[in-house]
Amino acid sequence: MSEVAGLAEEEPGAEGEERESGAGSGILRVFGRQLKRFRVRAGLERAGFGSVTGYSVSTIAAYEQGRRVPPPKFIDQADEVLDAGGVLREMKEEVARAQFPAFFRDAARLEGEAVELHVYATKAVPGLLQSEEYARAVFTMWRPLLRDEVIDERVTARLARQEIFARSPQPTLSFVIEEGVLRRPLGGRAVMRGQLEHILLYGQRRNVEIQVLPTELEEHAGLEGPFTLIETRDGRRIAYVEGHKDSRLHTERKAVREIEEQYGILRAQALTPRASLTFVEKLLGEQ
């Protein structure tokens, strides 16, 4: 998802690449045309519509032309102000997925359907566990540089994914994180302190298990890199494997089973969840 680029989230690699985060994609163009149609039907100029919703003329134009991803709050406002009868709201989920790079959108959809999600992270804190400041640091330092508005969209999208923690019924979530990830102060010491506190907070949830894989291990089952395992409500088991500019979803049972085997061994090699949180607390004290 860069983590699984995004699922494995959301790691800075795949999901953080400089690609227009949905700009110009089909769903954004469709949404933009519908938005303009309802605005014109309502007899509103862009300036008038913008003053009602609190957005600038240039921003409204960007939404109508499919160049920017409108936030859910705007879509709800627009549907109500323009008396769109739910037409705009019905596109909200698809529009939200347009915030992600094209290769990650299927993974994001599957993540949203997951009853189980298991993440092995080697590059950065998994996106689902990232604080806002840490996520912004990851996207800000990415090369080639991302535009400010793309960074804002990516951060918003990443944080929105964390709604999975509040879902009911609660999904089962587990994370195996390389020790080096937690020692790398991306964004600076203050950002990393906040990130470690964030991990401790999520680690207290009953449906979440976080394990640290010590650097000093002499045996290691996951040297091929980060991945995410997903089980959906209908029983499908899927693996998202992250590679440099080549992240892939695997659905064939043989490939998924091999990755499940790796994850099982990694969990056995890692510190227990309780010992892992104690380790994170120790790192926090060193910051």
Side-chain angles (χ1 to χ4, degrees), residues 43-59:
L44 290 172
E45 298 291 334
R46 284 175 179 161
F49 181 45
S51 66
V52 173
T53 56
Y55 292 82
S56 68
V57 172
S58 61
T59 298

Side-chain angles (χ1 to χ4, degrees), residues 12 22 27 31-32 48 67 74 79 109 114 117 128 131 138 154 172 177-178 188 200-201 218 224 237 262 268 277 281:
I27 184 60
F31 176 85
R67 293 186 288 106
F74 170 81
D79 197 276
R109 176 180 56 79
L117 194 68
L128 287 176
S131 67
V138 166
R154 296 282 175 89
T172 298
I177 307 172
E178 291 281 350
L200 289 172
L201 183 65
E218 295 182 359
E224 293 184 354
R237 292 186 174 182
Q262 290 179 35
L277 293 184
E281 288 175 346

